[in-house]
Amino acid sequence: MQFKSKYIVPIGAEGIHVLNTGDWRTQRPVMNYDKCIKCGMCFLYCPVNSINKTNGKFVISYDYCKGCGICAHECPKKAIDMVPEEGK
């Protein structure tokens, strides 16, 4: 048996598949920039690296965010609210 990669990845006829794990989410984190002190705790604790620093503020990428709520739980200023996803 031959493998295309030494890593275990989902490979199909078109190559490596990208899984938008954000499609699984039932609730989403919403950043309140008025409360945010830019400490980066949300960034540090996000298990899927869905939070990035852009132009001096932390921005949530919803493509891969699973809605676990860890960022909201760890935020010392409670600047992240978890809201239900519409239609789910």
Side-chain angles (χ1 to χ4, degrees):
M1 179 182 274
Q2 285 189 327
F3 294 99
K4 293 183 180 183
S5 172
K6 65 180 181 176
Y7 305 104
I8 298 172
V9 294
I11 297 179
E14 300 86 33
I16 295 175
H17 292 282
V18 175
L19 300 174
N20 288 342
T21 53
D23 293 343
W24 306 344
R25 192 176 50 244
T26 58
Q27 55 182 352
R28 76 171 45 215
V30 176
M31 186 78 71
N32 181 335
Y33 291 106
D34 292 332
K35 289 182 179 180
C36 179
I37 59 171
K38 300 178 180 96
C39 66
M41 294 302 283
C42 57
F43 169 79
L44 291 172
Y45 278 94
C46 179
V48 291
N49 199 25
S50 291
I51 301 174
N52 298 298
K53 193 170 189 178
T54 306
N55 297 326
K57 66 180 183 177
F58 290 94
V59 178
I60 301 167
S61 170
Y62 293 112
D63 289 338
Y64 301 105
C65 171
K66 297 177 186 174
C68 67
I70 293 173
C71 58
H73 182 267
E74 295 299 329
C75 179
K77 294 296 181 180
K78 303 299 178 207
I80 302 173
D81 297 311
M82 298 301 293
V83 299
E85 279 287 355
E86 292 182 21
K88 289 188 180 182

